[in-house]
Amino acid sequence: MLPPSGPLAGIRVVELAGLGPVPYACVLLAELGADVVRVDRPGGGTQLVPPERDALNRSRPSVAVDLKSPAGRDVVLRLVESADVLVEGLRPGVTERLGVGPDECWARNPRLVYARMTGWGQDGPLADRAGHDINYLGLTGALHAIGTAEAPVPPLNAVADFGGGALFLVVGVLAALLERQTSGRGQVVDAAMVDGASSLVTMVYGLLGAGRWQDRRAANLLDGGAPFYGTYACADGRHVAVGSIEPQFHAQLLAGLGIDPGEHGGQFDVARWPEQHERIAAAFATRDRDEWAEAFAGTDACVTPVLGLTEAPSHPHLAARGTFADRGGHPEPTPAPRFSRTPGAVRGEPRAPGQDTRTALAGWGFGEDEVTGLLEAGAVVQAD
């Protein structure tokens, strides 16, 4: 595990391990330089991906702690004493029942930022209900706006889990750390995926309120309704993405496709959009995807190939920026954003639950004999 480096170097984070957006948020913090220790349940971990391949487990050590035991609870509270942030993603009230809620942590460290990640939030009628990205997204209006005219299409779990959840939690943590410089006190950050996902469609709600958005799919500027903003199938069955919104870019699109602007009609003549869509689709269907990509490569028509997950890392632009790195023959995204003086970095391979219990606790001030006693009592576990 590389030492912390990056703009958050010197910030210490205790992560109570959870699913999806919690580990992603902590990957971001760790690769921006924070010293993050992941607290897993003994024998914990997701079954979706083997621990050694789970990119969400990278860049920070793991200790396995039995939080249901008094000694295990005290381990977390000891970690909190020297931490700046605690991140948890359990259902509301669980950490309080375990004895590691905000009040117990602030009794040890009043400067601690206590960051909570849930789907529905810490309060409200649904706070205690289970859910997943698609459920949070469905409640915000965003899912209703994404997809074909026939049905909504889940945008992976990127919008609510990782966008509305993890990214908003990181923003909240950074803001709370900045505010602490003035007040000297920590506070709770309540990052609810349903709130963050709603925020991400602020612009669309603004367009709706201004009468510039129809509350149905595939009928608007950015949802595939406009013929100049969407995807088109090519002769080989692969697709291109078209985003020629501005008139000057739209003109280059038509020129590249060999379409007469006079015959095509006005770009924003909504009544002619179905006809225009058919004309553009017919043109793209005459050549393969990569042929079209090459034809438009030197233009501002905003036409790009839709690349598969196995293709994207080798695209010349992404390769030039080092957007992906190879790990064990498989591509993984590298840290973002970039910093000119204090760059972040992937700090280490994914760690299995409890793989670093001894070394990580030692790095946070636990003595060797103390760790041995905790292991013998079963309060912590060292994985093989």
Side-chain angles (χ1 to χ4, degrees):
M1 195 72 61
L2 295 175
S5 64
L8 294 184
I11 297 296
R12 306 190 94 187
V13 179
V14 176
E15 170 192 356
L16 302 187
L19 297 177
V22 168
Y24 179 55
C26 290
V27 166
L28 296 178
L29 294 171
E31 294 180 355
L32 291 177
D35 183 4
V36 182
V37 60
R38 191 175 89 234
V39 177
D40 281 293
R41 297 186 304 275
T46 177
Q47 302 301 310
L48 295 176
V49 185
E52 68 276 8
R53 288 247 45 99
D54 191 348
L56 296 183
N57 285 346
R58 74 189 189 191
S59 293
R60 61 215 193 280
S62 168
V63 302
V65 180
D66 180 5
L67 280 172
K68 294 183 178 180
S69 73
R73 175 203 63 206
D74 289 343
V75 167
V76 171
L77 294 176
R78 276 276 304 280
L79 293 171
V80 160
E81 289 175 2
S82 60
D84 297 283
V85 181
L86 180 143
V87 178
E88 63 97 354
L90 304 173
R91 291 203 197 191
V94 171
T95 58
E96 284 85 350
R97 291 195 294 273
L98 292 171
V100 292
D103 290 340
E104 292 87 354
C105 290
W106 286 331
R108 301 288 187 102
N109 180 1
R111 291 175 54 82
L112 183 77
V113 172
Y114 199 101
R116 320 193 81 160
M117 171 80 73
T118 57
W120 302 113
Q122 296 298 311
D123 53 36
L126 297 178
D128 293 326
R129 290 270 299 278
H132 284 291
D133 179 284
I134 194 170
N135 307 119
Y136 315 133
L137 201 58
L139 220 63
T140 66
L143 183 59
H144 172 75
I146 299 171
T148 67
E150 291 74 26
V153 175
L156 301 179
N157 64 332
V159 177
D161 272 5
F162 294 120
L167 296 185
F168 276 77
L169 181 135
V170 170
V171 169
V173 164
L174 299 180
L177 288 172
L178 186 62
E179 189 279 336
R180 191 183 68 174
Q181 295 180 6
T182 301
S183 67
R185 299 170 57 196
Q187 60 183 305
V188 168
V189 176
D190 176 4
M193 298 173 217
V194 71
D195 295 343
S198 297
S199 181
L200 289 173
V201 288
T202 296
M203 184 187 77
V204 176
Y205 271 104
L207 291 171
L208 180 68
R212 303 296 296 274
W213 191 272
Q214 300 183 62
D215 195 16
R216 57 191 180 91
R217 288 178 301 282
N220 300 284
L221 180 67
L222 302 174
D223 63 358
F228 48 84
Y229 196 92
T231 60
Y232 288 92
C234 301
D236 56 359
R238 296 187 289 181
H239 292 76
V240 292
V242 175
S244 56
I245 297 175
E246 292 81 358
Q248 66 272 28
F249 301 158
H250 184 253
Q252 293 186 49
L253 170 69
L254 298 185
L257 293 174
I259 294 175
D260 181 355
E263 178 186 354
H264 196 63
Q267 179 182 356
F268 295 98
D269 184 352
V270 176
R272 297 192 65 177
W273 277 4
E275 167 199 340
Q276 293 174 356
H277 191 285
E278 290 180 5
R279 186 177 293 111
I280 293 173
F284 275 118
T286 63
R287 299 167 70 179
D288 290 348
R289 182 199 68 180
D290 292 346
E291 292 182 86
W292 284 119
E294 183 177 355
F296 281 105
T299 76
D300 281 336
C302 302
V303 176
T304 53
V306 176
L307 301 178
L309 295 173
T310 58
E311 296 178 289
S314 60
H315 186 275
H317 181 78
L318 302 184
R321 286 184 57 80
T323 302
F324 290 85
D326 182 89
R327 185 170 66 80
H330 300 278
E332 278 187 7
T334 53
R338 314 289 176 86
F339 294 83
S340 63
R341 289 189 299 101
T342 57
V346 176
R347 294 179 50 209
E349 296 293 307
R351 311 299 288 175
Q355 186 173 347
D356 310 291
T357 297
R358 277 191 177 275
T359 56
L361 289 179
W364 281 63
F366 287 72
E368 183 177 349
D369 291 343
E370 186 178 10
V371 175
T372 298
L374 290 167
L375 288 166
E376 291 175 348
V380 302
V381 174
Q382 172 68 49
D384 296 333

